[in-house]
Every structure is written in C-alpha cells, then in structure tokens.
Amino acid sequence: METTPSKPVYQRPMPWQITVALVLIGLDVLFTAATAVLAFSPLAALWTLIWVALGVCIAARLNRARNLALAFNLLSIVIAIMLTVVLAAVGTIAVLTAASGAFSLGMIFLLGSEASKAYTYKVGPRSYQD
C-alpha cells in the first residue's frame, strides 16, 4: 500500500495556533513598547525587541525561536507565580501578575501544540538543501 506524498513543510499552511500566538505576541509587543516609552525603561525596550525578533523567526518557521519563546514563557510563569504569592496582599498587582502568568500559559499551549511543532523547521531551512 503506497501512501500519497505529503506537501513539503514550506508549502503547508500556517496552523491557527501559530497565527493566534503571533497575534498575541504582537499585542504584547505593543503593550511593552508603550510601557517602555511611558516609563523610559531600556529593559522594557530590550524585551520588546527580543519578542519582535522571536515573532519574526517563528513566522519564518524556525523551531529554535519557538523553543526559546516557550522557555521565556515558562520563566514568565515562574516569575508570575512568585510575584503573586509575594504580593498577594496588594490586590491589583497580584491580579496583574496572575494575568501575566495566564497569558504565558496560553502561549505555551499555542506554541507547544503538535501543529506548531510540525509547522517549524527542526534545524533550519538551509539544511534541506544539502
């Protein structure tokens, strides 16, 4: 029994998980950029540039960028949990850190899905030419 050849990776359509993740990354970048401008924060500006680069690389199907975004979101969840526990007495800040953790958890769900893994190149597009 012969199987029909599947489309190459570069011809597969972008799964909805990647599309939603890129939209959320874009919204997060806009929010962080606004924070960087209003607070004159170089750290927030650097964080914005990192996420812009990761978003572009994820759209370009690079698996390493997707893995790095997963790691950043996991770190963000850990920080959000710690801050929520420490700042539980301050209601507004605890709610914001919990919301940040929920956002990161959603990003992990989107970027960690099987469709997202199948969409990205495992080592890079140039390795297929060798």
Side-chain angles (χ1 to χ4, degrees):
M1 177 185 269
E2 292 184 33
T3 60
T4 59
S6 64
K7 291 182 180 179
V9 174
Y10 60 85
Q11 290 183 352
R12 293 183 193 151
M14 186 180 292
W16 68 268
Q17 292 94 338
I18 294 286
T19 305
V20 171
L22 290 175
V23 168
L24 291 176
I25 287 172
L27 292 174
D28 186 45
V29 163
L30 289 175
F31 177 74
T32 309
T35 303
V37 168
L38 294 174
F40 300 109
S41 172
L43 185 61
L46 178 64
W47 191 248
T48 300
L49 290 175
I50 289 171
W51 276 104
V52 166
L54 281 176
V56 168
C57 290
I58 289 170
R61 300 173 184 248
L62 297 178
N63 194 45
R64 290 181 186 145
R66 188 186 60 80
N67 290 336
L68 189 58
L70 286 170
F72 280 156
N73 281 307
L74 187 61
L75 178 66
S76 181
I77 287 173
V78 170
I79 291 171
I81 289 171
M82 289 180 359
L83 286 176
T84 302
V85 170
V86 169
L87 301 172
V90 184
T92 306
I93 295 174
V95 169
L96 290 175
T97 56
S100 172
F103 173 80
S104 294
L105 189 61
M107 290 295 290
I108 287 175
F109 167 74
L110 292 170
L111 293 173
S113 70
E114 289 299 319
S116 297
K117 289 178 188 175
Y119 175 75
T120 56
Y121 292 111
K122 301 304 177 223
V123 290
R126 293 187 181 178
S127 67
Y128 292 106
Q129 296 173 357
D130 296 337

